[in-house]
Amino acid sequence: MNLTVTIHTLPDCVNCERTEQFLTHSGIPHDSTPLPETGLIRDLITEHGYQSAPIVTVTDDTGKLIDHWAGLRPDRILALKSTTR
């Protein structure tokens, strides 16, 4: 199963930049996109009360949401690294 990791970011967000650097350094392929306030992300913010950026989503080949978190989370990135190798 291939996983798609997406970093949903805000402009000039230090934690967004650090998350992207950590993913890159960990060898985890990922995409970066501006943080929208509609659709899946709005639902995650509402349901989980996320109040910080970035919001990271992990989806499978079918687009099903597998994992998600908000903010700079090296622990989650390391856990993800162990599942993508």
Side-chain angles (χ1 to χ4, degrees):
M1 169 175 35
N2 291 321
L3 299 178
T4 301
V5 178
T6 305
I7 309 168
H8 305 273
T9 65
L10 292 173
D12 302 319
C13 170
V14 173
N15 282 339
C16 300
E17 293 169 9
R18 292 184 68 204
T19 296
E20 186 157 11
Q21 291 168 351
F22 203 99
L23 284 164
T24 299
H25 181 71
S26 297
I28 300 172
H30 58 279
D31 297 315
S32 181
T33 185
L35 187 62
E37 295 182 11
T38 59
L40 171 65
I41 298 305
R42 183 186 62 216
D43 294 344
L44 288 174
I45 291 169
T46 301
E47 182 177 338
H48 298 280
Y50 290 152
Q51 296 182 357
S52 63
I55 294 176
V56 178
T57 57
V58 182
T59 56
D60 68 9
D61 294 334
T62 67
K64 178 182 175 191
L65 185 64
I66 302 297
D67 197 7
H68 55 86
W69 66 86
L72 176 60
R73 295 290 307 269
D75 59 323
R76 300 293 291 266
I77 294 170
L78 290 174
L80 182 61
K81 180 179 178 180
S82 70
T83 63
T84 59
R85 298 216 175 236

